[in-house]
Amino acid sequence: MTIDGILNIIEDYAPLKLSYDFQNMIDGYDNSGIIARVDGEIKGVLFTLDLTFASVEKAIENGCNLIVTHHPSIYAPIKSVEGALLKAIQSKIGVISMHLNLDCAKYGIDYYLSSGLGATEQKILFDLGNGCGYGRVFDFSGTLLDVKEKYQSVFESKNVMIFGNPESKINKIASFCGSGLDVKEIEMASEVDLFISSDIKHHVILHALEKGKCVMNVSHYSSEVYGYKKFFEEIKGKLNGLNCVFYENADML
Amino acid sequence: MTIDGILNIIEDYAPLKLSYDFQNMIDGYDNSGIIARVDGEIKGVLFTLDLTFASVEKAIENGCNLIVTHHPSIYAPIKSVEGALLKAIQSKIGVISMHLNLDCAKYGIDYYLSSGLGATEQKILFDLGNGCGYGRVFDFSGTLLDVKEKYQSVFESKNVMIFGNPESKINKIASFCGSGLDVKEIEMASEVDLFISSDIKHHVILHALEKGKCVMNVSHYSSEVYGYKKFFEEIKGKLNGLNCVFYENADML
Amino acid sequence: MTIDGILNIIEDYAPLKLSYDFQNMIDGYDNSGIIARVDGEIKGVLFTLDLTFASVEKAIENGCNLIVTHHPSIYAPIKSVEGALLKAIQSKIGVISMHLNLDCAKYGIDYYLSSGLGATEQKILFDLGNGCGYGRVFDFSGTLLDVKEKYQSVFESKNVMIFGNPESKINKIASFCGSGLDVKEIEMASEVDLFISSDIKHHVILHALEKGKCVMNVSHYSSEVYGYKKFFEEIKGKLNGLNCVFYENADML
Amino acid sequence: MTIDGILNIIEDYAPLKLSYDFQNMIDGYDNSGIIARVDGEIKGVLFTLDLTFASVEKAIENGCNLIVTHHPSIYAPIKSVEGALLKAIQSKIGVISMHLNLDCAKYGIDYYLSSGLGATEQKILFDLGNGCGYGRVFDFSGTLLDVKEKYQSVFESKNVMIFGNPESKINKIASFCGSGLDVKEIEMASEVDLFISSDIKHHVILHALEKGKCVMNVSHYSSEVYGYKKFFEEIKGKLNGLNCVFYENADML
Amino acid sequence: MTIDGILNIIEDYAPLKLSYDFQNMIDGYDNSGIIARVDGEIKGVLFTLDLTFASVEKAIENGCNLIVTHHPSIYAPIKSVEGALLKAIQSKIGVISMHLNLDCAKYGIDYYLSSGLGATEQKILFDLGNGCGYGRVFDFSGTLLDVKEKYQSVFESKNVMIFGNPESKINKIASFCGSGLDVKEIEMASEVDLFISSDIKHHVILHALEKGKCVMNVSHYSSEVYGYKKFFEEIKGKLNGLNCVFYENADML
Amino acid sequence: MTIDGILNIIEDYAPLKLSYDFQNMIDGYDNSGIIARVDGEIKGVLFTLDLTFASVEKAIENGCNLIVTHHPSIYAPIKSVEGALLKAIQSKIGVISMHLNLDCAKYGIDYYLSSGLGATEQKILFDLGNGCGYGRVFDFSGTLLDVKEKYQSVFESKNVMIFGNPESKINKIASFCGSGLDVKEIEMASEVDLFISSDIKHHVILHALEKGKCVMNVSHYSSEVYGYKKFFEEIKGKLNGLNCVFYENADML
């Protein structure tokens, strides 16, 4: 199978169109798809949230000549090729990046953040149709502290901040994988008791607390690697025994 | 004493010029000074990191007709007067905001973040002269976990994230109060073992770890309220018995 | 009745949508609506073309806790609250501003400029439908001097400039309340003998005279306060005996 | 004498450098100098504030093959040659435009607005050195009505608006030829009782009145043609008997 | 016949709408139509690709009071009237400019570039409907050298550059009159062996050669004057014996 | 020797500072320096004007793991790594790009364009000091045709266009390597008989001819590869026997 064959399977799962649709909806920017092509047969695929030196080394050790990242391995356009991307290309490893299409896919990163917290039904805030979109609202039964403990256990993360009284009763949660929570989202989900996301800015936390809401700020990595592993397993199942490896960086959890 | 008299005392401590100098240095934006004037005698002053409803209520309860905030109570220019600012003005309370001048003052917010962690000597990364500036580098002796525990105890914060091996040996720390850590700062302080700041973005944490550094992401509020309380005590001492009140929001720590 | 109740009555008369429609049509800017909210029962409403210290004082004297202005009391967004707006809020007075929606309303400011000059039928140049819009063309019978005298008597203004031979015969007039006359409008209304507006620029007057037209430049205030008083009476009639006061500044006529 | 020879004499009186200096000072725009060249001997020069059809016709009647205007005969850059400029060029008439250099010249348009009102000593607000600049502050003794009457008689203009009590005592005046009065200028000249200029916007008049000042809004044409005639006489005297004609448009006064 | 009458005949041949349509399609800029009007009867028309002094002189010699250029005689808007345009207007000669409408006309400049090379059927790349548009693809039978020789003989041009092996077999050509060839066009016409245009940039030539294509860079003038002469003959035939002159500058071929 | 060692030698010859200085002077853009790094010992260096597939293949054949290009191998920043650059990096070949620093170097590309035409003394138009800069003016003795023939013989190029009478006498030439000739340059060098450059636009040629000048438009590649070969020989001499190869693409001459 070639890089294009694998891209087809991946984009079947997380169509590139979702990235464009979401960029249009939020006036955003993304860079998904093939970042560096590799010719010939793909011998193995490594999946990693980010393209790092350690992930490239693990790909080499495992005989993988393709890396699939969640975050774009080139985000802002570049004027020279450097770092882990240079190393990957020199090692004749191709690179595909997902991002907003995978965040928004029906069973994408954002979906798994809510389902990992026990959601069985989710309302989508930025709804792209067919179960795709970004921002999930769902029911919960317990305290803020309960949510924190559930998160730490399911998402295996030590790094969780909570703002608000730990004993607050939480009936409804809105979650946003990555760093997608801003004042606008708080206004959109006014029926919610708790907002969960990563890299949340001070004034956004303050705004939620002024509205009587609680906030849980989790590490960006932990909020996404959980769903990315699900994606990995799904794609692996479709690659007919092709060597598939997952790279996880426990330091980032 | 009038609002102008108090502003003079405050700007003696944290000259407005520091804000302009720092904005020029980093091509930044700020809005410090008198945000809403109040006529006549100041009867009491409430100090709070942010202008919130709760802080305005506490000012009223305590007979304060002036609030001094750290963060600008108007940041982006506004097209209508709303929220806590409206309430303050309606309550005939004046509002002064500090911000970059207090971050950068000789004994300002950024200084106290490092000294709270035990620094006795600090190198300033963005040096504005006379001991003023932003970004402090200082020595430490212990592990990453030791830093975390010290922070939690001194800054009374439950919300601390650490990235990197908790047992890593930390000899040198760079700290940045508020949300001032980006890739550029990591490059500027290459001799450092640990970077401390708030609201740190995922790719910045990743960049530091790729360089073999540790990162400690603390809550924005805790990184600043500690130094703001020192500032409060200092100014209180200069106001000759004028009623001075400090408002702290434990939920934000 | 609350501020929202009064806003509803006012926007029934001059729907906010007119402002947005007109902004789109001319690629313009506006800031209408509630500029500073006030809680509880409205005890009295003062109407004034502009928010000035004198108008706030008159509101206080008359027990009014709401001021309705024609011109936006915040136009360009602000970084601190100052002047008459600060005083109004400190006096627990709410502020609502009209502007383009009232200019363009069916019986709005622009309508009354033409009907005050005797128009019985008006063609609308920037037509927003349902009798709403900006720029009126209508018939007249008399000389330029006749128009000036009629204006001075009806609009009670001493400040009128005329350009062109005072004895010119005027059969058709185009009028634009406020400062809305530019070269484009002169081209749009080529069948007109006389253009009336305020704050008209030199090159616009020159352009009209080159085309053989006359121009009458009236004071901005007089061109609008006449219609604003009609609006005041209309709204007063709907407020069931609520204390309604009109503030006029004769110095601006 | 050629067009360049005449330009030299004119720019001796009003150096082009003044336009550039003033543009820099106020971040402005201008287009002075030769707008359309004419070859050979200049047989006669017509001076007019603006390039109009009537002024071109008068030049032809009087055998002038050069027109000197105060306002730029091309201001915003053009995509086709039209109107009076086309007619001038077709008639083999060259065109020179003055503007900011003549406004600001030592004995320029702005100087004569103040001296026409009786000023013997003038402070310059935007001072370009050597007696040149824009905005004059000078003493007066009388009421607002006195100023109006003096203006109407000296500047021969029927079109004068006054804002403020006609009986106000005026000791100090700030005058700005053309349309140069804005809020900033009012702040700069706080010791002044009366501001005089043309095309003054509503909010600027309002601002002045809030500060307790009076405002006199005169026609743009009258505020400048008076000084332009002085300039004409001065230049005429230097052209050794060359046929020099002045065109005035009484309808614009 | 007046200038408007002639414009009608010309725009019948090359409707102005084509320029607007093409500008929209490529997000481009143009300035077609009457650049300088002339009153009264047109006594003769000179056609020239560009408005130059020599072309104006030839118009005068031949008693023409109208010049029709292909390229806009004002392109970027101007702040003074100079050069050949000034001379034309002073000589009471009107100026009409064609450009994108004539490039794209059914029997316009771009059409004749391909038909001059022997094309009998042309596919249009930027298709504006009704046989109009820009960029022609057509069949050829011969070598690159054959194309060059045919061009030199038909278009009477000494100035032709070829890139690629002169003996390459050319079956399909894409041609673009003027300077319209860029990387995008090469991608659009991937079945082509040879790209022909003018003012082609180095990286565009390189891109074509990397794709295995040949490139022929001809002088801009020769690529357009051939079709412009056809246009001249066509219009001349419709002007009922009006004096029509063609100006050609052999130095530019 | 490492890539940094070679960069040092190259930048000794053509200091990077020249690129920045020239960008500042003309408000330009460039991207010089290491575009893709390679670790370890450099075994051979290939020099080529542009990074193309053929040049990478030749580097591989010749055991070179470094390519030095004149033109930036990334110009506009990129969002994915493609084409010849991808192939080079996959082949573990490093890439250095020169450009404006080499154009402007004392013995750089621009210098050799003039000296190749026989110049012994050159005046520099954009003078960066120390014999560096861009745009050379020098003496010649002969006709336009002589210049063309000399160019074709020395620069081995078949692709030369001349505009103007071939028999014109040429005493002074201004030459600009690459595509650096615009209207401004023609004005700067008014004493010149012939302008030489590449990719010259139609209106620039026309402007020169209107001024009575001749123009020679040569292929971009030929105007630069001649000097680039001199640079290659110079650097080769300093690399102590390291394998140095030159790649030339005859199709581009």
Side-chain angles (χ1 to χ4, degrees), chain C residues 132-144:
Chain C
C132 300
Y134 185 71
R136 260 76 180 180
V137 175
F138 54 95
D139 293 337
F140 188 85
S141 178
T143 64
L144 175 54

Side-chain angles (χ1 to χ4, degrees), chain C:
Chain C
M1 187 168 280
T2 65
I3 191 172
D4 292 306
I6 290 172
L7 186 68
N8 284 344
I9 288 166
I10 284 175
E11 294 197 344
D12 233 55
Y13 189 92
L16 198 52
K17 188 182 176 305
L18 291 173
S19 173
Y20 296 127
D21 287 352
F22 190 50
Q23 288 177 61
N24 283 339
M25 190 180 261
I26 62 162
D27 196 19
Y29 170 85
D30 197 19
N31 186 29
S32 300
I34 295 178
I35 303 302
R37 185 171 279 282
V38 67
D39 290 338
E41 196 64 19
I42 297 303
K43 294 167 217 146
V45 189
L46 180 128
F47 290 75
T48 174
L49 212 64
D50 298 284
L51 191 74
T52 57
F53 279 107
S55 62
V56 177
E57 271 151 26
K58 185 157 184 180
I60 296 168
E61 285 164 22
N62 285 273
C64 300
N65 63 341
L66 178 61
I67 293 177
V68 177
T69 73
H70 177 54
H71 292 128
S73 44
I74 297 178
Y75 194 66
I78 58 176
K79 295 180 74 173
S80 60
V81 184
E82 291 174 0
L85 179 61
L86 179 65
K87 187 184 176 73
I89 300 176
Q90 284 176 336
S91 311
K92 292 212 165 123
I93 295 172
V95 180
I96 290 174
S97 292
M98 313 300 297
H99 198 210
L100 296 183
N101 43 335
L102 188 54
D103 278 346
C104 296
K106 186 169 180 182
Y107 299 111
I109 305 293
D110 197 56
Y111 165 84
Y112 277 112
L113 175 53
S114 54
S115 76
L117 284 163
T120 50
E121 245 173 286
Q122 298 111 331
K123 190 183 124 198
I124 301 176
L125 279 172
F126 296 92
D127 194 337
L128 300 172
N130 303 315
C132 300
Y134 185 71
R136 260 76 180 180
V137 175
F138 54 95
D139 293 337
F140 188 85
S141 178
T143 64
L144 175 54
L145 202 59
D146 294 338
V147 183
K148 180 179 180 183
E149 279 163 8
K150 175 146 203 180
Y151 186 88
Q152 286 181 318
S153 119
V154 174
F155 292 80
E156 296 175 352
S157 168
K158 61 190 178 304
N159 285 320
V160 177
M161 294 175 172
I162 52 173
F163 301 94
N165 185 341
E167 294 311 319
S168 303
K169 193 85 194 64
I170 306 298
N171 293 317
K172 230 176 227 322
I173 295 177
S175 65
F176 306 82
C177 76
S179 56
L181 180 63
D182 209 329
V183 165
K184 184 177 66 175
E185 284 71 28
I186 294 171
E187 299 298 315
M188 285 171 74
S190 57
E191 79 285 14
V192 150
D193 304 308
L194 168 63
F195 289 90
I196 302 178
S197 193
S198 311
D199 309 348
I200 313 177
K201 289 178 182 156
H202 171 74
H203 75 276
V204 177
I205 300 172
L206 197 68
H207 187 87
L209 266 68
E210 281 272 280
K211 298 267 172 181
K213 314 296 185 184
C214 295
V215 172
M216 190 165 94
N217 192 14
V218 300
S219 71
H220 193 123
Y221 191 83
S222 68
S223 82
E224 301 196 329
V225 79
Y226 175 83
Y228 197 61
K229 219 178 285 176
K230 305 282 187 188
F231 162 73
F232 158 71
E233 280 150 18
E234 204 62 43
I235 300 300
K236 184 182 180 179
K238 295 180 178 170
L239 289 179
N240 310 314
L242 184 69
N243 174 27
C244 286
V245 179
F246 194 84
Y247 170 79
E248 190 173 42
N249 184 351
D251 283 346
M252 293 291 294
L253 278 169

Side-chain angles (χ1 to χ4, degrees), chain A residues 137-185:
Chain A
V137 175
F138 54 94
D139 293 337
F140 188 85
S141 179
T143 64
L144 175 54
L145 203 58
D146 294 338
V147 183
K148 179 180 180 182
E149 279 164 8
K150 175 144 202 180
Y151 186 89
Q152 287 183 317
S153 120
V154 173
F155 292 79
E156 296 176 352
S157 168
K158 61 192 180 301
N159 284 321
V160 178
M161 294 176 171
I162 52 174
F163 302 93
N165 184 341
E167 294 311 319
S168 304
K169 195 83 193 66
I170 305 300
N171 293 317
K172 228 175 230 320
I173 295 177
S175 65
F176 306 82
C177 75
S179 55
L181 180 63
D182 209 329
V183 165
K184 183 178 66 175
E185 283 72 27

